[in-house]
Amino acid sequence: MTAFPRVQKILPLLCAAVGMTGTAATFAQEPGDLSLVLLIGQSNMAGRGKIESTDTEPIPGAFKLDAEDRWVPALDPLHWDKPVAGVGPGREFARALLAARPGSRIGLIPAAVGGTSLSQWQPGGTMYNQALARLRTARKSGKLIAILWHQGESDADSANLASSYAERWTALMKKLREDAEAPDVPILVGELGEYLYTRANGQSPYARTVNEQIASLPSRLDRVAVISSRGLGHRGDQLHFDAASEREFGRRYAEAFLSLSPEWKSSGTP
């Protein structure tokens, strides 16, 4: 994933290029005053759910920052970290926020990378620097309102990594808030899939420990919410959420955001 230094605005030709008409034509406007959402973590944030036709229909008011730092319609896949990128939680999160505040504009910043461990996201590392660079580019068009995080599968194979997850995560997020100049921004953290607890191939033996660590995060850092994965299913590999579960996860992330930022439903700026 490469961050480019210049934001390119959506051109009026975009609609013609992707065949959009009617309501979707609103995406030809240059987006401004966006409410920005940073999507970080590993594959279940990037999305691996099977894409259906509804996932490629524009949501008026929802944009994403693409690989060339252009604001484009927020269609799945939002990410491009791997060729298998698919449906993640981002679009449904944006849809729910737009429903709660009609007329708002959401700018999703995809920066998750499949297969990454928590140590790879530490400040100064490639993943962290790329995400921060993309956020700084996006901030030319709006204000950061939330950070969505889902990661931990890569740390669930080690007892030491799993048991130290909360401490390491808290240090990371304190630094990210500082570097993002957003000390009070809500951080929303999804649990690992409960199906990992009985994974057939014996991998992820400490997934339950990681989830226990995740459960403790709101007590370690202010304005953090944990999103339950209860009842969510996998796509057949006991590792990645299926598309329906990713969409439901996005709605749960939105509920958590609204609990931390009830003012979003008002007319004022969050």
Side-chain angles (χ1 to χ4, degrees):
M1 178 169 52
T2 302
F4 291 80
R6 183 170 65 89
V7 175
Q8 301 177 35
K9 301 299 185 179
I10 294 178
L11 300 175
L13 294 177
L14 177 61
C15 285
V18 298
M20 292 189 296
T21 59
T23 302
T26 59
F27 287 112
Q29 302 171 4
E30 292 186 359
D33 298 324
L34 295 176
S35 295
L36 304 174
V37 179
L38 181 63
L39 310 176
I40 50 177
Q42 61 179 113
S43 56
N44 275 318
M45 178 56 70
R48 297 293 186 259
K50 183 179 179 180
I51 295 175
E52 300 177 0
S53 59
T54 56
D55 303 311
T56 60
E57 296 175 358
I59 301 172
F63 302 86
K64 75 169 183 179
L65 194 66
D66 73 4
E68 297 181 355
D69 288 351
R70 300 172 301 183
W71 289 112
V72 299
L75 312 181
D76 276 323
L78 296 178
H79 287 77
W80 53 90
D81 60 309
K82 301 287 178 68
V84 292
V87 175
R91 263 176 53 98
E92 286 304 312
F93 178 83
R95 193 194 304 274
L97 265 59
L98 290 165
R101 183 189 283 188
S104 56
R105 287 167 163 254
I106 306 296
L108 301 174
I109 310 168
V113 179
T116 50
S117 65
L118 183 57
S119 64
Q120 289 177 281
W121 281 94
Q122 292 309 300
T126 300
M127 300 300 104
Y128 183 93
N129 290 345
Q130 287 179 344
L132 189 60
R134 286 177 57 74
L135 172 58
R136 286 171 172 164
T137 295
R139 285 180 61 185
K140 298 173 185 177
S141 301
K143 175 185 176 182
L144 181 66
I145 65 162
I147 297 172
L148 272 58
W149 173 267
H150 193 281
Q151 189 280 333
E153 294 89 347
S154 291
D155 293 75
D157 288 334
S158 162
N160 288 336
L161 293 178
S163 62
S164 64
Y165 190 90
E167 179 180 359
R168 295 182 294 124
W169 182 92
T170 301
L172 162 63
M173 289 303 170
K174 285 181 177 179
K175 180 60 173 172
L176 181 56
R177 276 178 168 169
E178 177 185 338
D179 288 341
E181 300 177 355
D184 299 316
V185 66
I187 304 176
L188 312 174
V189 186
E191 292 180 334
L192 303 187
E194 292 183 342
Y195 48 75
L196 291 174
Y197 298 168
T198 56
R199 196 172 177 194
N201 60 9
Q203 293 181 340
S204 309
Y206 301 101
R208 192 184 300 274
T209 301
V210 173
N211 272 351
E212 291 169 353
Q213 291 277 299
I214 288 173
S216 75
L217 298 180
S219 67
R220 295 170 178 263
L221 198 61
D222 292 338
R223 291 180 63 75
V224 171
V226 171
I227 294 82
S228 172
S229 67
R230 181 165 298 177
L232 300 184
H234 59 86
R235 67 175 193 180
D237 58 2
Q238 284 191 288
L239 179 60
H240 298 106
F241 295 110
D242 60 26
S245 295
E246 287 281 24
R247 297 186 195 101
E248 172 60 22
F249 221 6
R251 291 187 284 270
R252 294 181 186 183
Y253 270 93
E255 291 174 4
F257 171 79
L258 293 173
S259 72
L260 291 179
S261 299
E263 68 274 15
W264 175 258
K265 294 184 179 181
S266 71
S267 59
T269 300

